[in-house]
Amino acid sequence: MMPQLMTVRVKRPNRRRIRIWVPVLPVALVLSPVVVLAALAAAVACLIYRVDAVRALGTSWRIVSALPGTRIDIEHDRTAVHVAIR
């Protein structure tokens, strides 16, 4: 299953907290021309390095499918960024 929503929270000292909800599908549709170019570059790289392109595509899809439930927490000094993929 593809990720549906990404939540980004930023906590900064002495300032308001920022919370952003990013729907993944509309962003993916807007960035689809870039994805097509990246796919072409990946296909050329597979040919150069003699990697099976179908297997690489399958592995990439498994990685994207495993993203829901991922949490990334970054803290530096008193600033914190939390990213959750659902």
Side-chain angles (χ1 to χ4, degrees):
M1 181 198 257
M2 185 174 161
Q4 301 294 319
L5 182 69
M6 183 170 69
T7 306
V8 179
R9 291 184 296 160
V10 180
K11 292 192 300 187
R12 300 175 294 174
N14 303 327
R15 294 189 184 167
R16 271 185 54 204
R17 293 181 180 179
I18 298 173
R19 181 176 288 180
I20 302 170
W21 292 275
V22 181
V24 174
L25 186 60
V27 172
L29 289 175
V30 169
L31 294 177
S32 61
V34 176
V35 172
V36 170
L37 291 175
L40 289 173
V44 170
C46 285
L47 288 173
I48 291 172
Y49 292 106
R50 297 182 183 162
V51 174
D52 183 17
V54 175
R55 192 172 206 178
L57 179 65
T59 302
S60 300
W61 180 250
R62 284 188 207 127
I63 290 171
V64 170
S65 297
L67 285 176
T70 302
R71 289 190 54 166
I72 301 168
D73 298 326
I74 302 170
E75 293 184 27
H76 179 69
D77 292 333
R78 295 184 312 180
T79 303
V81 177
H82 305 284
V83 179
I85 301 173
R86 300 178 191 171

